[in-house]
Amino acid sequence: MSRYLVTGCAGFIASRVCQMLLAEGHEVLGVDELNDAYDPRLKQWRLQQLERESQFRFFRLDIADRQPVEDFFRKVVCDLAHRHEEAEPLAAVINLAARAGVRASVENPWVYYRTNCDGTLNLLDLCRRYGVRKFILASTSSLYGAHNPIPYREEADTSRPLSPYAASKKAAETLAYTYHHLYGLDVTVLRYFTVYGPAGRPDMSVFRFVRCIAEDEPIVVFGDGKQSRDFTFVDDIARGTLAALKPLGYQVINLGSDRPFVLRELIERIGELLGRSAQIVHRPRHPADVLATWADITKARQLLDWQPQIPLEEGLQRCVHWYLENREFVRQLDLGPW
């Protein structure tokens, strides 16, 4: 058994990572501020699933608040080391707390920098000070912008992000490298590609499309719907995140499906699963959006022995099943602005 600190534990990806760690018999310290970036009732729902496990402990905390985070490390982490006589009370910090979303970051870039940059810096420095040797940082395919050839390789130029969200993640990646270089911290940066699955973020396309088609609500599509995304099922992403806990020095690794899918075809597929047709409203393409994402996952195969296992067809079926099973709850959630 090992002990892990997972930030953003009530979030979509982090909650699944926590579940997998707990299933393997590990202890998980979960941190989350439970903000209202999207409907917090969904975060509470995920948190309730985790709190059923005796090896899970939850702490409400904003990683961007430097002093409270330091107090947490001093009191909780040091107390664990003392009580268990462990020189290394935490096997790793898995930093999945983030403000996510391309379009929303254009409206309020400051909150993105606070969490994604200040929060990451706080955690990196506390890992250095308290002897935590492994750090995993969740990053994004949005870093690749619109100028790189696809499929995207980790060595591609990421100096031209199209949104404050992507720029904040680029800053977090460079901070992580600095702490690796200066202090020998073992860092793995994972660039996730369009993650979807049951209990996903309501501001993401798959969740919205399932809800809108099921409830006969209109779907807004920015552009002509021909843009494609590398949709990756959340269980595959969580498995890849756990695989990255091994010592790797400093690595940036794509986690994606390696199988882009056109947006309008995705809508049609969800409609078929629900036995309904979508009502589509077209709006101009947003300047922060890219036309396509596609992950080259050669590096993940080589370093992590990882590749996706859940094809899109199966993943969509699971999403629809979860929605219908939890319909009375989910249909009340606020999807937020398009």
Side-chain angles (χ1 to χ4, degrees):
M1 184 195 76
S2 296
R3 186 180 299 109
Y4 296 94
L5 172 62
V6 180
T7 68
C9 66
F12 174 38
I13 299 172
S15 62
R16 194 71 188 99
V17 168
C18 289
Q19 288 173 342
M20 287 190 176
L21 286 170
L22 292 165
E24 291 181 358
H26 300 298
E27 182 179 348
V28 176
L29 308 182
V31 165
D32 202 301
E33 65 166 324
L34 300 177
N35 63 41
D36 61 353
Y38 57 84
D39 198 323
R41 288 177 290 181
L42 186 54
K43 299 179 182 181
Q44 293 284 0
W45 184 90
R46 299 189 195 111
L47 186 58
Q48 289 172 4
Q49 318 307 309
L50 293 174
E51 289 182 323
R52 297 171 180 171
E53 304 294 331
S54 60
Q55 292 290 92
F56 177 80
R57 295 173 62 189
F58 174 67
F59 303 86
R60 186 162 186 171
L61 188 66
D62 181 352
I63 63 168
D65 289 338
R66 182 176 177 181
Q67 192 59 54
V69 176
E70 183 169 347
D71 292 343
F72 167 81
F73 266 77
R74 185 176 63 253
K75 295 175 182 177
V76 176
V77 177
C78 289
D79 178 61
L80 285 169
H82 176 73
R83 285 191 291 113
H84 297 277
E85 297 183 350
E86 296 174 1
E88 191 178 64
L90 289 179
V93 169
I94 305 175
N95 183 25
L96 305 182
R99 284 281 182 157
V102 168
R103 299 186 197 112
S105 74
V106 177
E107 303 300 322
N108 185 2
W110 294 273
V111 70
Y112 281 75
Y113 269 74
R114 185 175 184 276
T115 298
N116 299 349
C117 300
D118 293 346
T120 297
L121 178 57
N122 288 339
L123 292 169
L124 286 166
D125 200 58
L126 288 165
C127 284
R128 171 187 69 86
R129 292 169 56 190
Y130 287 87
V132 182
R133 299 179 182 178
K134 181 72 185 189
F135 189 88
I136 288 183
L137 174 65
S139 192
T140 174
S141 62
S142 296
L143 265 69
Y144 293 112
H147 63 291
N148 284 302
I150 53 176
Y152 298 136
R153 294 177 58 87
E154 291 86 350
E155 297 79 13
D157 173 41
T158 56
S159 66
R160 294 157 64 180
L162 300 184
S163 67
Y165 166 58
S168 70
K169 282 297 188 180
K170 175 66 174 179
E173 286 193 9
T174 56
L175 281 169
Y177 177 79
T178 299
Y179 270 73
H180 163 73
H181 170 72
L182 292 175
Y183 308 113
L185 187 62
D186 191 295
V187 174
T188 303
V189 176
L190 299 173
R191 291 179 180 161
Y192 297 147
F193 280 69
T194 316
V195 187
Y196 76 101
R201 278 173 38 207
D203 59 323
M204 293 288 284
S205 57
V206 171
F207 188 109
R208 282 180 177 269
F209 295 165
V210 172
R211 152 80 175 267
C212 290
I213 295 174
E215 308 303 336
D216 290 320
E217 300 170 354
I219 290 173
V220 175
V221 172
F222 293 88
D224 57 10
K226 294 181 181 179
Q227 59 266 50
S228 63
R229 294 291 181 267
D230 195 326
F231 293 98
T232 318
F233 195 68
V234 65
D235 285 21
D236 286 329
I237 290 291
R239 283 193 307 102
T241 303
L242 267 58
L245 288 167
K246 65 196 294 187
L248 290 168
Y250 179 88
Q251 293 290 342
V252 177
I253 303 174
N254 289 336
L255 293 184
S257 71
D258 192 25
R259 184 189 169 195
F261 209 82
V262 176
L263 200 64
R264 63 185 185 185
E265 294 178 7
L266 177 81
I267 295 171
E268 292 174 3
R269 189 68 54 85
I270 294 172
E272 291 170 1
L273 290 171
L274 287 165
R276 296 172 179 267
S277 297
Q279 306 173 44
I280 300 177
V281 177
H282 287 275
R283 292 183 185 171
R285 189 170 70 88
H286 196 284
D289 285 340
V290 296
L291 290 175
T293 63
W294 182 0
D296 183 319
I297 57 173
T298 302
K299 199 172 182 181
R301 290 191 178 104
Q302 293 174 344
L303 295 182
L304 306 181
D305 192 26
W306 176 91
Q307 63 181 17
Q309 296 179 352
I310 308 298
L312 183 66
E313 293 78 8
E314 180 182 342
L316 292 178
Q317 288 177 347
R318 294 191 191 187
C319 291
V320 168
H321 176 76
W322 179 84
Y323 181 86
L324 297 176
E325 193 175 53
N326 297 276
R327 190 171 188 174
E328 290 307 310
F329 164 63
V330 182
R331 72 199 305 180
Q332 300 173 30
L333 296 176
D334 181 9
L335 297 182
W338 285 92

